[in-house]
Amino acid sequence: MRIGELAERAGTSTRTLRYYESRGLLPARRADNGYRTYDEDDLRLLSQIRVLQDFGFELEETRPFVDCLRAGHPAGDSCPASLAVYRRKLAELDGLIGQLADVRDQLGRQLADAERAAGEAAVPKCEMTG
Amino acid sequence: MRIGELAERAGTSTRTLRYYESRGLLPARRADNGYRTYDEDDLRLLSQIRVLQDFGFELEETRPFVDCLRAGHPAGDSCPASLAVYRRKLAELDGLIGQLADVRDQLGRQLADAERAAGEAAVPKCEMTG
DNA sequence: CCTTGCCTTGACGTCGGCGTCAAGGAATAC
DNA sequence: GTATTCCTTGACGCCGACGTCAAGGCAAGG
């Protein structure tokens, strides 16, 4: 199949496929007329890349998974290098989520304090006027 | 004070201050020789910006806080517009944290599955050989 | 006078993952 | 023949918050 069909079947763009090729991630065979040619295996590699991209992996981080599939393994994560990326990514995510949760809590307190201050300014010393 | 001193006292760079000025966020008075001149109030505005930046706010999102301080309010979040940004940011954070938690769980399962598969491949049908 | 250290504006570089446009070749439909 | 649609390479644009370099001005110390 050609680049347009592969892009459509994978739910991405031809530009993206050319970009992956430029990064050496998904090289293509060439037909006599110079057109890029792909097969079903390429679709599997591409699907693996897309899944990981959706997870927030950088392109380079998908490389071990692609290499693993290309080496004939049943899944992209059947290789130690891929598992290592999983673990790094998990640690990274845990750290990030923790940071964001901290920020979230601080912001929540800031908002509560600011709302309280605004309320007191609007109705000052309410209990003294009764 | 001049730009270098303000930058140092705020723990940032002169480039950053010029950038803020170019965005209209922190304009500076000028001395006769053309040098930018700042006062203690500018340091407060800048500190407010930096705190919010550290929280992950975009520069534009800090503008209501700066405007609020400049209007003479005691804090950057003493104005409704600032509170609105707080609330938007909280919602945004909650959404993001939720997404990341989902990804984290999926990744954790992927890793567990892949590790189990690798283990079974290494010691296949262990209970059948006993 | 000369050096040093601050300041000025202007402009290009960074990072990732593409989008988008341009100019032209190739294959298919009619 | 020609209209359409696919394909090719090349190259600039984008986003955000600056970093970094260049060329030159201004002030103070020795």
Side-chain angles (χ1 to χ4, degrees):
Chain A
M1 92 191 86
R2 291 176 305 182
I3 195 170
E5 185 182 346
L6 177 58
E8 193 174 2
R9 289 181 61 185
T12 182
S13 70
T14 60
R15 177 71 182 88
T16 294
L17 298 188
R18 293 196 189 97
Y19 177 65
Y20 290 173
E21 181 171 7
S22 79
R23 306 279 89 191
L25 200 59
L26 192 65
R29 273 116 327 219
R30 297 300 180 118
D32 290 346
N33 56 14
Y35 286 12
R36 290 175 178 81
T37 304
Y38 303 90
D39 57 24
E40 297 296 322
D41 286 339
D42 290 318
L43 177 58
R44 278 177 214 109
L45 300 186
L46 179 52
S47 300
Q48 172 74 82
I49 297 172
R50 292 268 97 198
V51 165
L52 296 177
Q53 283 274 84
D54 287 346
F55 277 166
F57 283 48
E58 291 177 13
L59 255 193
E60 276 311 308
E61 295 178 319
T62 72
R63 198 179 292 272
F65 295 80
V66 176
D67 288 347
C68 188
L69 279 173
R70 203 175 269 124
H73 293 279
D77 55 13
S78 300
C79 301
S82 307
L83 299 185
V85 175
Y86 272 161
R87 296 194 190 93
R88 269 200 304 113
K89 217 58 190 167
L90 276 172
E92 192 183 308
L93 270 175
D94 287 340
L96 180 56
I97 291 172
Q99 279 184 34
L100 291 178
D102 283 351
V103 168
R104 201 239 104 93
D105 288 349
Q106 292 187 59
L107 269 187
R109 261 175 260 133
Q110 283 293 121
L111 175 59
D113 289 354
E115 281 175 332
R116 195 175 41 70
E120 287 179 2
V123 187
K125 290 173 262 172
C126 184
E127 71 286 2
M128 296 298 288
T129 64
Chain B
M1 90 191 88
R2 291 177 305 180
I3 195 170
E5 185 182 346
L6 177 59
E8 193 173 2
R9 289 181 61 184
T12 183
S13 69
T14 60
R15 178 70 182 89
T16 294
L17 298 188
R18 292 196 190 95
Y19 178 65
Y20 290 173
E21 181 171 7
S22 79
R23 305 279 89 191
L25 200 59
L26 192 66
R29 273 119 323 223
R30 297 301 180 117
D32 290 346
N33 57 13
Y35 286 12
R36 289 175 179 80
T37 304
Y38 302 90
D39 57 24
E40 297 297 321
D41 285 340
D42 289 319
L43 177 58
R44 279 176 214 111
L45 299 187
L46 179 53
S47 299
Q48 172 73 80
I49 297 172
R50 292 268 98 199
V51 166
L52 296 177
Q53 284 273 83
D54 288 346
F55 277 166
F57 283 47
E58 291 178 12
L59 212 46
E60 275 310 310
E61 294 177 321
T62 72
R63 197 178 292 272
F65 295 80
V66 177
D67 289 347
C68 189
L69 279 173
R70 203 174 269 125
H73 293 278
D77 56 13
S78 300
C79 302
S82 307
L83 298 185
V85 174
Y86 271 162
R87 295 195 190 95
R88 270 200 304 113
K89 217 57 190 167
L90 277 172
E92 190 183 309
L93 269 175
D94 286 341
L96 179 57
I97 291 172
Q99 280 185 33
L100 291 179
D102 282 352
V103 169
R104 201 239 106 95
D105 289 348
Q106 291 188 59
L107 269 187
R109 262 175 259 135
Q110 283 293 122
L111 175 59
D113 288 356
E115 281 175 333
R116 195 175 41 71
E120 286 179 3
V123 187
K125 291 173 262 175
C126 185
E127 70 285 5
M128 297 298 288
T129 63

